[in-house]
Amino acid sequence: MSDNQQTQDQQPSGIFSWFKSKWQTNKTAVIAASSAAALIISLTAAALLFNGDKNDVQDGGNNGGTASEQIETAPENTIDNYDAENNTITLPGDNANDVVEPEPEEPVIEDTVIDSPEEVLELIDANGLNDVFAKEVSRIKSGSLNAASQATKDIGHYLANGLKVSEDDSLANQFFQASYDMNHNVQAAHSIGYQALHGLGMDKSLDLAEKMLSEAQDGGHPLAQAHLKYLNSIK
C-alpha cells in the first residue's frame, strides 16, 4: 500500500476522532440548545393553532358555523327598575323625577281616659255644670288629689240619683270612672260595680260588677258585701 493511500485511509479516522472529542466536550451544551430550539418550535406552533381557532370562532358567528362562544348574559328582568338594554338597575332617588315615599307616621292614639283634676274640670265645663257644682269645682281645684277624687265621685252620685240636675246614669258613670282612675276611690269602685250589676248607663256586666264590688269590699265599703251576695245568686 502506498503512502498516499495510507494517508487517505487515515484521514476519515482522524476526522471522526476530532468530532468524537468535540462531542464529549460540548454534548451538554448541544443537548440544551436542541431542547431550547424544540421548545421554541412547540410554543410557536401552539400560538399559530390558538389564533386559528379564535378566527374560526369569529367566522362561525358571522357565517353560521357551528363554533360556539361563551358570552356573559344579562340577568333576567325580574328586578324592579331593571334596564335590560343597558344592564343597569335604577335605585329610588337616582333620578330627579323619582318620588320617594316618606315613612308612614305613627298613628296618634288619643287619650280618652279622664284621670286628672284638670280633665275633670274640662268634663264639667263641656256639660255646662260649673254653676250647678260650684262647690265641687272648688274642691277639685284645691290641689288635693283625694279631695278632687271625692268631689268627682259626688258629682257622679248627684247625676245618678237626679239630685241638683236631671238623672243621667251614662254621664254619672264618666264621673265615677274618673274618680276611680285618679286614686282608686273605694266609693267610686262601689258605684261602678252597682251600675254594672244592674246595667245602669252601661251594658250589664257581671264580671265588671264582681271586680269593682270585690275591690270596694276589700276597701271597707259597707254595702259592697250585700251586692256581691246578690250577684252570686243570679250567676
Side-chain angles (χ1 to χ4, degrees):
M1 180 181 297
S2 66
D3 292 339
N4 289 337
Q5 187 178 359
Q6 187 176 0
T7 300
Q8 291 175 355
D9 291 339
Q10 292 176 350
Q11 282 180 351
S13 280
I15 293 171
F16 178 77
S17 297
W18 181 82
F19 275 111
K20 182 178 180 180
S21 174
K22 291 297 184 180
W23 168 254
Q24 293 294 334
T25 303
N26 300 305
K27 68 178 181 178
T28 301
V30 171
I31 292 172
S34 300
S35 299
L39 178 61
I40 292 172
I41 293 171
S42 298
L43 292 175
T44 302
L48 291 173
L49 288 173
F50 175 77
N51 289 333
D53 291 342
K54 183 177 179 182
N55 291 332
D56 289 342
V57 170
Q58 294 176 348
D59 291 342
N62 294 329
N63 300 321
T66 59
S68 63
E69 180 181 358
Q70 183 179 1
I71 61 172
E72 182 179 355
T73 59
E76 295 182 3
N77 189 12
T78 58
I79 305 175
D80 292 340
N81 302 322
Y82 173 66
D83 183 353
E85 182 178 354
N86 297 312
N87 195 23
T88 60
I89 298 174
T90 303
L91 298 178
D94 287 347
N95 295 326
N97 295 329
D98 285 348
V99 177
V100 179
E101 295 293 335
E103 291 292 331
E105 295 183 0
E106 292 293 332
V108 178
I109 301 176
E110 184 179 356
D111 181 11
T112 58
V113 177
I114 300 174
D115 55 4
S116 68
E118 293 75 18
E119 290 173 323
V120 172
L121 291 172
E122 291 177 1
L123 179 61
I124 293 171
D125 184 62
N127 288 276
L129 300 173
N130 286 293
D131 294 336
V132 177
F133 299 121
K135 291 182 179 180
E136 287 71 24
V137 169
S138 179
R139 290 161 60 196
I140 293 171
K141 292 180 178 179
S142 67
S144 169
L145 185 62
N146 289 335
S149 175
Q150 191 64 30
T152 301
K153 190 278 304 178
D154 289 345
I155 294 174
H157 176 76
Y158 294 139
L159 288 164
N161 292 279
L163 302 175
K164 296 187 179 182
V165 291
S166 299
E167 183 177 331
D168 188 336
D169 286 311
S170 179
L171 184 56
N173 286 331
Q174 293 187 57
F175 282 95
F176 288 144
Q177 189 66 51
S179 174
Y180 177 80
D181 288 338
M182 273 195 271
N183 67 345
H184 287 248
N185 186 287
V186 172
Q187 293 180 12
H190 173 266
S191 295
I192 293 171
Y194 180 84
Q195 301 284 81
L197 176 61
H198 297 284
L200 299 173
M202 66 169 70
D203 293 334
K204 187 174 182 178
S205 172
L206 297 184
D207 290 338
L208 178 60
E210 184 174 15
K211 177 180 182 297
M212 290 291 114
L213 290 172
S214 297
E215 188 171 331
Q217 178 179 253
D218 294 341
H221 197 285
L223 301 179
Q225 184 176 3
H227 293 308
L228 280 171
K229 185 177 179 179
Y230 169 73
L231 185 154
N232 290 325
S233 70
I234 63 173
K235 272 188 172 181

